[in-house]
């Protein structure tokens, strides 16, 4: 089995898109200070359960990925607050009885939280993927427009099954 880490924001759920829409509606400028303040004060439970939605059947896709038996699946998500971590964990746990969810403090690289070597990370942020491959991992870019930015792109999570079979998993 190959370790597979899946990002949450912009991969499982459209939290980024919805957050930016809220910024526009509130007329808040999208700079680092404002964004940090907004997300640390946000009611995450409400935000995730009432405002956001899954991207391209992400939860069903993760079920397929688990059922393929090819991967050890974990969710690896940056968080700015414990409230955010709790809301995301509760959301994921509604659908999966037994899964690993690793909240990563925003200031820490995802590469510092888990074994990266020969592990796959699916993330929409190319910066995370560059760090990941820099530490010996395999980076796959989630992009609805299939823009890989130097990485293999996918726009549905279950596409990873065929990609891994063809590229990363040794055939018996
Ligand atoms: Mg993301």
């Amino acid at each position: 089995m190959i370790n597979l880490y899946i990002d949450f924001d912009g991969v499982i759920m459209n939290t980024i898109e919805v957050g930016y829409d809220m910024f526009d509606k509130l007329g808040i400028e999208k700079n680092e200070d404002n964004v940090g303040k907004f997300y640390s004060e946000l009611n995450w439970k409400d935000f995730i359960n009432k405002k956001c939605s899954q991207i391209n059947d992400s939860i069903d896709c993760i079920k397929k990925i688990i059922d393929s038996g090819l991967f050890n699946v974990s969710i690896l998500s940056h968080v700015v607050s414990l409230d955010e971590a709790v809301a995301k964990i509760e959301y994921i746990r509604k659908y999966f009885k037994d899964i690993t969810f690793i909240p990563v403090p925003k200031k820490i690289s995802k590469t510092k939280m888990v074994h990266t070597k020969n592990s796959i990370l699916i993330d929409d942020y190319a910066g995370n993927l560059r760090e990941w491959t820099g530490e010996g991992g395999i980076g796959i870019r989630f992009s609805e427009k299939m823009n890989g930015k130097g990485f293999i792109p996918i726009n549905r999570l279950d596409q990873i099954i065929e990609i891994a079979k063809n590229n990363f998993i040794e055939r018996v």
Side-chain angles (χ1 to χ4, degrees), residues 43 115 131 136 149 156 161 164 167:
N43 179 338
H115 287 284
E131 290 176 2
K149 293 196 177 174
R156 267 183 72 90
I161 298 170
N167 297 282

Side-chain angles (χ1 to χ4, degrees), residues 97-114:
K97 262 206 190 120
D98 192 25
I99 197 164
T100 303
F101 187 108
I102 304 160
V104 182
K106 184 75 183 163
K107 287 181 180 163
I108 304 287
S109 167
K110 291 186 178 184
T111 62
K112 303 298 179 206
M113 297 298 283
V114 295

Side-chain angles (χ1 to χ4, degrees), residues 7 9 123-124:
D7 177 28
D9 299 301
D123 206 296
D124 61 321

Side-chain angles (χ1 to χ4, degrees), residues 5-73:
Y5 296 97
I6 303 173
D7 177 28
F8 189 95
D9 299 301
V11 174
I12 293 175
M13 282 200 115
N14 65 345
T15 44
I16 311 264
E17 201 186 317
V18 174
Y20 282 170
D21 279 354
M22 285 168 76
F23 271 74
D24 290 342
K25 276 191 196 127
L26 296 166
I28 304 171
E29 196 194 327
K30 294 181 201 95
N31 60 42
E32 203 179 318
D33 281 355
N34 287 345
V35 171
K37 191 167 182 286
F38 176 83
Y39 283 115
S40 53
E41 290 173 355
L42 188 65
N43 179 338
W44 275 91
K45 208 172 182 172
D46 238 47
F47 182 64
I48 284 185
N49 291 295
K50 294 186 184 155
K51 299 204 165 73
C52 299
S53 45
Q54 292 173 29
I55 301 174
N56 299 343
D57 306 316
S58 55
I59 295 294
D60 275 351
C61 285
I62 295 172
K63 287 180 180 161
K64 275 188 212 159
I65 290 169
I66 292 169
D67 289 346
S68 78
L70 299 170
F71 309 92
N72 288 316
V73 179

